[in-house]
Amino acid sequence: MKKVLVSNIGMLATPKGSAAKCGKSQGEIEILRDAWVLIEDGMIAKVGTGKCECAEGAEVIDAGGKLVTPGLVDAHTHLIFGGWRQNELGLKLHGATYLEIQNAGGGIQSTTNATRSATEEELRDKAAKALDEMMGFGTTTVEAKSGYGLATEHELKALQVIKDLDEQHPMDVVATFMGAHLVPAEYKNDRAEYIRLVCEEMMPAVKEQGIAKFCDVFCEADTFTMEESRKILEAGLKYGLRPKIHADEIEAIGGSVLAGEIGAISSEHLIVCPPEGIASMAKGGVIACLLPATSFNLGAVFAPARDMVNAGVPVAMATDFNPGSCPCLNMQFVINLGCLKYKLTPEEVLTAVTLNGAAAIDMADKVGSVEVGKQGDLVIWESPDLDYICYRVGSNLAKTVIKKGVIV
Ligand code: NIG
Ligand code: FE
């Protein structure tokens, strides 16, 4: 058995449990001082304070009196894409909006063109580099969506790349099928046919290959309507894909209401989420997965996170890493924005980027907290306490990242 002792932890900060936390309990975390964590064969075997009497034969990782938290969970990324879209920055600086660029054939469509012409190997190498970078910032589990293929062959190609990365890279990578990211140019005049293709050709193939856990749809003005989104998510359910939804990112057209009605595991973005959307999510037990770095990049307002906490909706936070609305993969920036823009407390933010993120991708029994029986995924921070990593902006404070008991 391989034993690893993470010793000399000045502050161990972690939420607890195997389900999402909401309301007051979102901010109730455990803080231990002078702590240690024993990891056996990649799993947390014991957590304690003071002297550890059970570490015989263990490899010791000295935390140097610093802060230790669970590895961060990035529960929303569009990891698999060809090219970048830095050209859109200038267009935006000249006043073009995200939807104007999309409607003119830029945006998701231009990344789709680049992704279709990339080989599986090119996509894998590029995404692996992004995963390396994410780990360097403290992320140990990510969700990754397809959605830049928008044709059966290319959606399956992206999902295959995600599966390979999950197997080959130390990161845990959880797959979401997002064939309904945009109606591609070739179906512009027959959107019903594209939706049929998503539901009747792509979904059965995804199920047969067993390469996705969730189904997501971009429910947005000029993209997929609320009724189209309902149809797509209901079809996904038939194929065992649990619903997720991009809702209220730019315009509120009913996505968050639908999330509650359909019992989605999570609803994402929610930048302009109306009160009836919050009420529907609370009723339907939906996790709000908020993406503050996207608001930052779009120059948009920030989601009403406090209203969600007050309404008993569990709040998770993730990057939304993608080449358009959020070319940022750094969860530490998300942590900063959670405090500075959502006005969540450091304790609420920690829960959002660990346990609640894990719950949003159905991984809360395995990751998201430092507790016996969970994976040995930890970050040792160049920081004395939790407040410090929330308040320092722009530095990388992840000192040592440990995945399943191994320094990565
Ligand atoms: O979450 N909103 C839809 N999808 C991404 C953006 C995709 C893109 O711009 O390429 C998002 O913001
Ligand atoms: Fe997204």
Side-chain angles (χ1 to χ4, degrees):
M1 189 197 317
K2 184 167 190 283
K3 275 184 166 188
V4 175
L5 178 72
V6 182
S7 68
N8 192 20
I9 299 172
M11 176 189 275
L12 176 65
T14 180
K16 295 191 84 176
S18 300
K21 298 281 170 152
C22 65
K24 205 169 143 272
S25 63
Q26 169 129 17
E28 291 168 352
I29 62 168
E30 180 170 86
I31 302 271
L32 297 177
R33 311 234 175 221
D34 186 22
W36 49 264
V37 178
L38 182 70
I39 302 169
E40 289 178 357
D41 288 337
M43 307 296 284
I44 297 173
K46 228 167 178 177
V47 180
T49 56
K51 191 167 162 36
C52 175
E53 307 284 1
C54 52
E56 225 188 273
E59 171 199 341
V60 176
I61 300 173
D62 186 339
K66 306 286 185 185
L67 170 72
V68 169
T69 69
L72 306 178
V73 178
D74 190 346
H76 180 138
T77 82
H78 302 258
L79 179 69
I80 310 302
F81 56 86
W84 290 93
R85 304 219 300 270
Q86 64 272 43
N87 61 308
E88 290 178 6
L89 176 62
L91 300 175
K92 286 183 195 151
L93 293 176
H94 284 97
T97 67
Y98 180 83
L99 288 178
E100 280 166 4
I101 293 170
Q102 175 170 299
N103 290 338
I108 295 169
Q109 180 65 50
S110 76
T111 297
T112 296
N113 301 341
T115 307
R116 286 178 180 174
S117 50
T119 64
E120 224 171 278
E121 200 184 357
E122 286 164 346
L123 293 174
R124 195 165 41 241
D125 288 352
K126 178 173 182 163
K129 278 203 186 104
L131 291 178
D132 292 344
E133 208 183 333
M134 288 169 168
M135 273 200 148
F137 285 120
T139 300
T140 49
T141 301
V142 307
E143 181 255 19
K145 302 174 197 297
S146 68
Y148 293 115
L150 308 184
T152 307
E153 173 198 351
H154 295 289
E155 285 295 304
L156 293 173
K157 175 174 79 172
L159 291 170
Q160 184 60 47
V161 170
I162 294 170
K163 181 168 186 266
D164 292 348
L165 288 167
D166 183 43
E167 287 167 4
Q168 294 160 13
H169 196 280
M171 189 82 84
D172 277 313
V173 190
V174 178
T176 295
F177 166 64
M178 199 173 178
H181 200 186
L182 187 79
V183 174
E186 62 275 22
Y187 286 97
K188 232 179 181 128
N189 298 321
D190 196 358
R191 41 190 307 116
E193 176 56 16
Y194 183 68
I195 293 169
R196 194 198 64 74
L197 194 75
V198 168
C199 299
E200 294 178 22
E201 192 178 302
M202 295 185 200
M203 285 181 190
V206 169
K207 181 184 160 86
E208 199 201 301
Q209 298 189 17
I211 46 177
K213 247 173 124 169
F214 305 103
C215 178
D216 200 341
V217 54
F218 190 13
C219 180
E220 184 57 61
D222 303 333
T223 313
F224 291 96
T225 67
M226 183 179 176
E227 283 320 311
E228 289 170 343
S229 301
R230 187 193 303 275
K231 194 172 162 192
I232 290 159
L233 295 179
E234 278 174 354
L237 274 168
K238 278 202 308 204
Y239 292 103
L241 300 168
R242 293 183 71 180
K244 285 179 169 282
I245 181 165
H246 278 61
D248 308 331
E249 179 176 354
I250 297 160
E251 289 181 32
I253 62 160
S256 47
V257 173
L258 172 60
E261 285 174 1
I262 202 167
I265 184 167
S266 64
S267 180
E268 332 269 314
H269 285 288
L270 305 165
I271 293 177
V272 292
C273 185
E276 63 269 25
I278 297 179
S280 178
M281 290 193 295
K283 193 163 164 233
V286 180
I287 298 169
C289 186
L290 305 185
L291 311 166
T294 305
S295 285
F296 176 83
N297 278 290
L298 291 175
V301 296
F302 285 79
R306 176 59 61 202
D307 293 347
M308 292 171 188
V309 173
N310 288 344
V313 175
V315 171
M317 289 178 3
T319 61
D320 193 26
F321 176 57
N322 72 73
S325 64
C326 191
C328 166
L329 48 66
N330 179 354
M331 284 290 283
Q332 293 178 47
F333 186 50
V334 170
I335 289 173
N336 298 141
L337 294 174
C339 289
L340 296 174
K341 295 296 186 180
Y342 292 152
K343 314 280 185 208
L344 298 182
T345 65
E347 293 78 13
E348 289 169 329
V349 166
L350 182 69
T351 301
V353 296
T354 55
L355 184 61
N356 283 4
I361 52 172
D362 194 24
M363 287 282 281
D365 57 333
K366 300 187 183 68
V367 301
S369 64
V370 182
E371 286 179 280
V372 172
K374 291 220 183 172
Q375 286 181 192
D377 297 0
L378 310 178
V379 182
I380 303 172
W381 297 93
E382 189 53 62
S383 169
D385 58 32
L386 181 61
D387 289 349
Y388 186 82
I389 61 166
C390 294
Y391 119 107
R392 283 290 309 277
V393 182
S395 298
N396 182 6
L397 299 174
K399 184 169 136 69
T400 307
V401 181
I402 300 167
K403 180 68 184 173
K404 294 182 186 154
V406 177
I407 294 178
V408 287

